[in-house]
Amino acid sequence: MTDSAKLNRRAGVTGVHSIDHFAIAVPDLEEARGFYTLFGLDVRDEDGGLGLYTFGHRHRWGSVVGGAEAKHLRYLSFGAYADEIDDLAARLDTLGIDRVSAPDGADSNGIWFKGYDGLPVNIRVGDKSSPDEKSKFTVESTGPGISGAVPNSKAPKVQPRRLSHFALFTTDVDDAIAFYEKTLGLRLSDQSGPFVAFLHGPHGSDHHMLALVKSDRRGMHHISWDVGSFQEVGLGMAQMSRGGFDKGWGVGRHVLGANYFYYCRDPWGSYSEYSADMDYIPHDHDWQSGNHPPEDSMFLWGPNPPEEFIQNFEPAEQMT
C-alpha cells in the first residue's frame, strides 16, 4: 500500500473504498455499444461482451453482456484495501450473510455474497477508484470584447472522467441502508423518507457512491458519470439528443449532493447521468446526515422529471 493510500483512510474503520464495477445484461450488445459510445465512453470488446472505460483511465467501470430477454442488473462489485478483506469476510460471517457463487462469466476473485433483495454482491481487493479529493470543476468565461461563442460544428465531444455513482432500485430503502452499512461499511449521507437514500464510502468519496431508490424489486435506476463543468453537462445532453437519444431529465441541479445533472434515458428505460461538481466527503470528516422531505430535496432548479423517471423496467424474475 502506498503512503498516499494510508493517508486517505479513515483510521480504525473497515469498509469498501469504491465501486469497482457494475455488470448488466442487455438484449442487443450492438445497441449497447452504440449508446455508450455516443455517451462518450471507451467501449471495448471483452470476453464476448463489452467493457466500459473512460478515456485516459485504466479502470474498467462496467461490464455488459448480450443475449438477455430484457435488460437487468447482474451484480455489483466493490473494491477494498488488501488489509481489510479478511475483516470484511469475518463481518459477513458474523452477520450470517449467505455466500454465493460468482455469476456465469464473472471473475470469481474476492468475496461473493447475497446482497439485499438477492442481488449478487462482490468485494475484491483493488486500487481505490473513488476520488481522494473533490473533483475539479471549471467555469469558463470571456472578458469584454471577446466572443465566447462555440459553433455547433466545433462543439467538443463530452467524455466522462470516471464513474461517479450507481443508483440501485430496492424494495425497502431503510432496510437496505442498514444492510449496506453493516456489510460494506458504507455511511449514510442523506435520505428523503422511504423513497431515496445516498451512501458514501468511509475512506473518502463523493457525497454518494451508492444511491438507493424505492421500487417493488431490485434493478438499476441509473449510472452516473463525472464530468468537469456545467458546460459539459449541457453539451452531453445535446450530444445524446443529436444522436437520437432525446428523452431524459435535465439540465438541472440537485439538492442532495448539489451536483449539476442531465439524465439520458438509455434503450432499456434506465438512465446514464452526466454529473458535475458533486459534494465531496473526506475520509476524516463526520458528515451530518439528514432526512429531507421530497418536495424540498429532489432538485433545486430544472424541468420536472418525466412521469416514468422512477419506474423500474427490469423483469421481476431476473437471471444473473
Side-chain angles (χ1 to χ4, degrees):
M1 184 183 306
T2 64
D3 290 340
S4 60
K6 291 179 181 178
L7 290 173
N8 290 294
R9 295 181 65 172
R10 192 172 185 93
V13 172
T14 299
V16 298
H17 56 54
S18 311
I19 291 181
D20 188 86
H21 68 281
F22 60 87
I24 61 174
V26 299
D28 187 334
L29 206 58
E30 290 309 305
E31 186 176 46
R33 185 197 304 275
F35 176 81
Y36 289 118
T37 299
L38 181 65
F39 193 80
L41 301 182
D42 180 6
V43 181
R44 306 179 189 177
D45 291 300
E46 290 184 345
D47 301 323
L50 303 176
L52 302 183
Y53 296 78
T54 50
F55 289 95
H57 204 303
R58 63 187 179 88
H59 192 83
R60 183 189 66 171
W61 305 106
S63 174
V64 186
V65 297
E69 291 185 8
K71 187 272 292 181
H72 62 269
L73 175 62
R74 301 185 68 219
Y75 65 83
L76 277 178
S77 177
F78 293 84
Y81 291 118
D83 62 350
E84 293 188 17
I85 196 75
D86 289 343
D87 289 340
L88 286 164
R91 176 187 293 173
L92 295 175
D93 292 339
T94 299
L95 293 169
I97 303 298
D98 292 335
R99 303 296 181 89
V100 298
S101 299
D104 291 344
D107 194 327
S108 61
N109 286 352
I111 307 163
W112 285 91
F113 67 95
K114 185 177 181 180
Y116 199 79
D117 295 321
L119 175 69
V121 174
N122 171 237
I123 307 174
R124 63 181 58 201
V125 173
D127 293 337
K128 187 174 187 287
S129 56
S130 62
D132 287 325
E133 59 185 6
K134 184 164 182 175
S135 292
K136 184 178 180 181
F137 178 77
T138 59
V139 178
E140 294 184 4
S141 185
T142 57
I146 301 173
S147 173
V150 179
N152 287 326
S153 60
K154 296 183 179 179
K157 183 175 176 59
V158 176
Q159 295 180 338
R161 299 182 292 194
R162 60 173 174 84
L163 180 72
S164 173
H165 59 270
F166 190 95
L168 177 67
F169 279 121
T170 185
T171 57
D172 191 309
V173 168
D174 286 321
D175 278 357
I177 292 169
F179 181 88
Y180 289 113
E181 285 179 333
K182 292 176 182 176
T183 57
L184 300 179
L186 297 179
R187 297 184 165 209
L188 179 65
S189 305
D190 288 290
Q191 72 178 103
S192 183
F195 307 109
V196 65
F198 303 103
L199 303 173
H200 64 276
H203 299 306
S205 77
D206 287 336
H207 175 271
H208 47 282
M209 69 165 62
L210 183 68
L212 303 170
V213 182
K214 172 68 175 174
S215 179
D216 62 349
R217 60 194 180 277
R218 76 176 192 243
M220 179 184 85
H221 180 268
H222 72 266
I223 315 163
S224 182
W225 304 87
D226 174 74
V227 296
S229 68
F230 180 62
Q231 170 83 328
E232 287 182 272
V233 174
L235 285 172
M237 178 182 69
Q239 180 171 296
M240 298 307 292
S241 181
R242 289 168 182 156
F245 295 95
D246 58 357
K247 298 184 185 304
W249 180 35
V251 173
R253 189 173 191 183
H254 280 303
V255 174
L256 304 180
N259 53 312
Y260 300 97
F261 67 84
Y262 177 71
Y263 295 84
C264 181
R265 184 167 172 171
D266 65 27
W268 319 286
S270 46
Y271 295 86
S272 282
E273 178 191 18
Y274 295 106
S275 172
D277 200 31
M278 178 175 280
D279 290 341
Y280 181 77
I281 303 178
H283 69 281
D284 56 356
H285 179 79
D286 293 320
W287 184 271
Q288 297 302 305
S289 62
N291 195 338
H292 311 269
E295 66 274 11
D296 200 35
S297 60
M298 189 172 182
F299 62 107
L300 183 63
W301 55 262
N304 289 325
E307 291 185 2
E308 72 277 7
F309 183 68
I310 57 171
Q311 185 172 347
N312 187 352
F313 291 95
E314 295 196 19
E317 296 295 328
Q318 301 175 78
M319 302 293 291
T320 58

